[in-house]
């Protein structure tokens, strides 16, 4: 029901709120399941007032916006809503490709606090690809209404990345979310992302063995384990990326950003 | 940056050993990985979440869901809600419509004309700018703004509340029976807003076959540009068949009937396509019913006014202003005796009458390919021109003031309109080619000229056939009585 989801609507619009999109310091990807309030978080962060629908499958294209924090400019890319990154529908592929090949400096995964277990499936898959992630634990107001309490510190410890409780509808927790994004982008937060474990020994052996080989060829790749997982699943897109050296090109931005931040801190 | 930077032998080794390991791990590898992820997620969630007071409590969401998605009550409740929305729209829009028209057309228009005469602007310039562009724009604003300003906030409130996925849930089973993807129900609901947006939304359907079906049939979801046509014609011709108290109800019911016919056509067309051009089995999927969320009323009013009402109105104006100019020219350029418009209308008239419409309506639909929004204004302008009705218009190609539905009805009747014309116009408005924006979007999404042509021509052919059949049956019955 929405014109704002329509590509015709978005083309030719001036960059949102005059943020110069050609000139940003960090790229932030926004991922999440349907109905987690992801679009609301996107609007809240970018200051847009587009209407957000309450139904699955609303975001099928990549929307982009920008915001400033401190003296840094962030470009925010809203990915399609997905439950997983493991299957082959177009929207999942768009999300997966951007996190993997778009090499965002930070990936924010918006999760529904009232449906944490199901939402964590996506978080764990994202964490296999990138450790530079922030979990936005949204809809905590609704969780409270359902008498659910989520221990975000425990969750952050288990996941190994920052977890920020928010209620984007009521603009609660957004300053903290911005700070967490900034800290991960600038390399101030050390992330130790949770890795999927507990698989049978033979799977674990196959994955880690293959991952070692991949790391040997693409030393700067941070998602070797995930690439191994996908190759073992016969993912043609990933196999092609390995063959054509596309993965090797991923060493760039984030590493440079970390080094840059480290340099800046050292000189300060 | 080329592949040669990497050790090709090592790359081949990776791919080969991956292939070998795949055989060793067996076919259930994917499921095992997914299970591992799920188990991990369950463990982490379990540690982080505590529930206060574990006794079962009355769950309002589940109770509402049982009602609105029940086999018995789901569809009737859906119909009632739609009826209510249209009834509020139709009965509520009349007064502000007349008020806006009386200001824009009754006051400002004569003032502009007098001003133009006072400063000696040539007749043809003031004709093009004031009679053509200004009046058509004023018309679009007064006819479309009030219904949209009522309809969109209401619809958006339903959407925010979380009702639309329930509509999809209620219809999902029908789509499966039609051999289409259940998610098509969602893209169809999206098409009720804008078909171009609905076509883009079909990306959530992963099977290419079912996605094509959803794209081709999306046009049968009555879009924003066509709701005003339906609402207006229903109000003028069908509402007036009954007493004033029932008028709003009957008009609303007929608009709902047209919308439902669109849903029916979507299903039938999907069924036919999935058995002819696009054969195959429907794939399964899961549809999540999002939690009900209390809509933020003021924000909804704001966003639906800014994002939808004003946006669509603006789109209508952008197309209507130049169209007004073109129509004024067409009406005032004379080739020998009659004007160009008269020649065109007379040319199309036999075809139009054949399918229970008329040449004016067909010409309006040709002019309105860029935007369905301007069908009604164009029809009115051309009708004035063709009938030469005096007292309402002030010359050829001038869009005039309508202070009441009676004026509109008497004008259209003078233009040779009958109840059949009104009914067939409503049908044709539902079943004809998509607007140019949607056609372009279909081409971009499918990348195929063939499927774009199918999606464009199939509804047009169907529309002509349906109106033809209705016209023939109508004439038969009229003859029998």
């Amino acid at each position: 029901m929405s014109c704002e989801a329509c590509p015709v609507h978005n083309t030719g619009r001036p960059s949102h709120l005059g943020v110069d999109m050609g000139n940003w310091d960090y790229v932030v990807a926004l991922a999440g399941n349907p109905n987690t309030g992801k679009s609301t978080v996107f609007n809240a962060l970018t200051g847009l007032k587009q209407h957000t629908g309450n139904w699955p499958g609303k975001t099928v294209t990549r929307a982009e916006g920008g915001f400033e924090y401190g003296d840094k400019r962030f470009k925010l890319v809203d990915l399609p809503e997905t439950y997983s990154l493991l299957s082959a529908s177009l929207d999942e592929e768009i999300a997966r490709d951007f996190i993997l090949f778009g090499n965002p400096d930070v990936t924010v995964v918006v999760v529904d606090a009232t449906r944490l277990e199901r939402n964590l499936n996506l978080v764990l898959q994202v964490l296999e690809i990138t450790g530079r992630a922030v979990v936005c634990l949204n809809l905590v107001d609704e969780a409270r209404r359902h008498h659910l309490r989520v221990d975000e510190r425990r969750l952050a410890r288990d996941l190994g990345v920052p977890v920020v409780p928010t209620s984007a509808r009521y603009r609660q927790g957004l300053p903290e979310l911005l700070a967490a994004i900034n800290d991960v982008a600038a390399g101030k937060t050390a992330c130790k992302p949770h890795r999927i474990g507990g698989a049978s020994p033979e799977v674990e052996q196959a994955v880690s063995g293959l991952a070692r080989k991949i790391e040997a060829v693409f030393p700067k790749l941070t998602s070797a384990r995930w690439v191994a997982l996908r190759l073992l699943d016969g993912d043609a897109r990933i196999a092609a990326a390995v063959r054509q050296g596309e993965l090797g090109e991923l060493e760039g931005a984030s590493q440079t950003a970390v080094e840059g931040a480290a340099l800046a801190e050292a000189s300060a | 940056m080329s592949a040669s930077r990497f050790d090709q032998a090592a790359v081949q080794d990776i791919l080969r050993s991956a292939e070998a390991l795949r055989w060793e791990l067996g076919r259930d590898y994917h499921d095992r990985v997914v299970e591992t992820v799920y188990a991990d997620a369950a463990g982490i969630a379990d540690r982080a979440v505590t529930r206060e007071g574990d006794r079962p409590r009355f769950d309002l969401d589940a109770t509402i869901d049982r009602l609105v998605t029940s086999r018995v009550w789901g569809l009737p409740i859906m119909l009632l809600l739609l009826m209510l929305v249209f009834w509020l729209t139709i009965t509520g829009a009349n007064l502000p419509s007349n008020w806006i028209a009386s200001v824009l057309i009754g006051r400002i228009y004569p003032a502009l004309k007098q001003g133009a005469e006072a400063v000696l602007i040539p007749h043809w310039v003031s004709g093009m700018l004031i009679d053509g562009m200004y009046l058509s724009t004023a018309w679009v604003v007064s006819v479309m703004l009030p219904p949209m300003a009522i309809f969109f906030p209401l619809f958006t409130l339903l959407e925010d509340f979380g009702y639309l996925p329930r509509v999809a849930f209620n219809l999902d089973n029908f789509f499966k029976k039609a051999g289409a993807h259940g998610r098509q129900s969602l893209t169809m609901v999206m098409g009720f807003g804008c078909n171009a947006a609905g076509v883009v939304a079909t990306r959530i359907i992963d099977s290419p076959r079912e996605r094509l079906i959803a794209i081709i049939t999306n046009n049968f979801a009555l879009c924003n540009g066509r709701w005003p046509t339906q609402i207006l014609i229903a109000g003028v011709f069908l509402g007036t068949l009954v007493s004033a108290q029932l008028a709003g109800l009957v008009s609303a019911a007929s608009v709902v009937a047209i919308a439902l016919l669109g849903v029916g056509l979507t299903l039938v067309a999907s069924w036919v396509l999935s058995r002819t051009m696009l054969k195959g089995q429907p794939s399964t999927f899961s549809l999540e019913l999002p939690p009900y969320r209390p809509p933020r009323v003021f924000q909804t009013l704001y966003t639906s006014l800014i994002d939808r009402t004003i946006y669509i109105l603006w789109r209508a104006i952008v197309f209507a202003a130049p169209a007004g100019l073109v129509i004024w020219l067409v009406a005032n350029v004379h080739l020998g005796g009659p004007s160009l418009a008269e020649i065109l209308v007379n040319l199309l008239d036999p075809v139009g009458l054949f399918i229970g419409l008329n040449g004016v309506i067909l010409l309006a639909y040709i002019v309105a390919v860029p935007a369905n929004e301007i069908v009604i204004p164009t029809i009115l302008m051309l009708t004035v021109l063709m009938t030469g009705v005096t007292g309402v218009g002030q010359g050829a190609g001038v869009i005039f003031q309508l202070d009441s539905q009676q004026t509109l009805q008497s004008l259209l009747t003078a233009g040779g309109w009958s109840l059949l014309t009104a009914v067939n116009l409503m049908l044709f408005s539902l079943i004809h080619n998509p607007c140019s924006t949607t056609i372009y979007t279909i081409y971009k999404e499918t990348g195929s000229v063939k499927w774009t042509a199918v999606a464009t021509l199939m509804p047009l052919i169907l529309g002509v056939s349906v109106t033809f059949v209705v016209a023939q049956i109508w004439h038969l019955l009229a003859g029998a009585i």
Side-chain angles (χ1 to χ4, degrees), chain A residues 201-223:
Chain A
E202 54 167 339
V203 169
E204 182 52 43
Q205 207 182 344
V207 171
S208 51
L210 194 58
R212 268 197 302 279
K213 282 187 180 179
I214 295 168
E215 271 166 357
V217 184
F218 307 107
K220 288 182 174 171
L221 187 70
T222 53
S223 50

Side-chain angles (χ1 to χ4, degrees), chain A residues 112-200:
Chain A
D112 177 350
T114 65
R115 287 160 175 73
L116 190 61
E117 180 178 334
R118 198 192 54 205
N119 280 253
L120 283 179
N121 293 325
L122 179 69
V123 175
L124 292 178
Q125 290 170 43
V126 169
L127 291 184
E128 284 292 319
I129 302 179
T130 171
R132 308 169 62 79
V134 173
V135 171
C136 168
L137 184 67
N138 198 23
L139 304 173
V140 285
D141 56 310
E142 223 166 89
R144 227 172 282 135
R145 193 159 66 85
H146 287 102
H147 305 278
L148 288 172
R149 279 203 35 226
V150 180
D151 183 350
E152 72 265 9
R153 286 171 161 177
R154 176 75 212 230
L155 193 58
R157 253 206 316 279
D158 279 350
L159 294 175
V161 295
V163 174
V164 185
T166 61
S167 178
R169 273 157 62 85
Y170 305 105
R171 311 189 70 82
Q172 286 165 7
L174 295 175
E176 292 82 356
L177 180 62
L178 286 172
I181 294 171
N182 183 62
D183 288 352
V184 171
K188 287 183 198 156
T189 305
C191 297
K192 292 189 195 63
H194 174 93
R195 296 298 183 189
I196 297 166
S200 64

Side-chain angles (χ1 to χ4, degrees), chain B residues 96-109:
Chain B
S97 260
N98 289 341
W99 186 78
I100 294 175
S102 73
V103 171
L104 286 183
I105 301 166
R107 301 242 175 94
I108 297 179
Y109 168 71

Side-chain angles (χ1 to χ4, degrees), chain A residues 1 83 149 151 158 194 233, chain B residues 30 40 48 50 190 288 308:
Chain A
M1 251 334 319
Y83 293 107
R149 279 203 35 226
D151 183 350
D158 279 350
H194 174 93
D233 209 1
Chain B
H30 182 87
D40 240 7
T50 47
M190 200 127 172
E288 179 194 2
R308 295 193 175 168

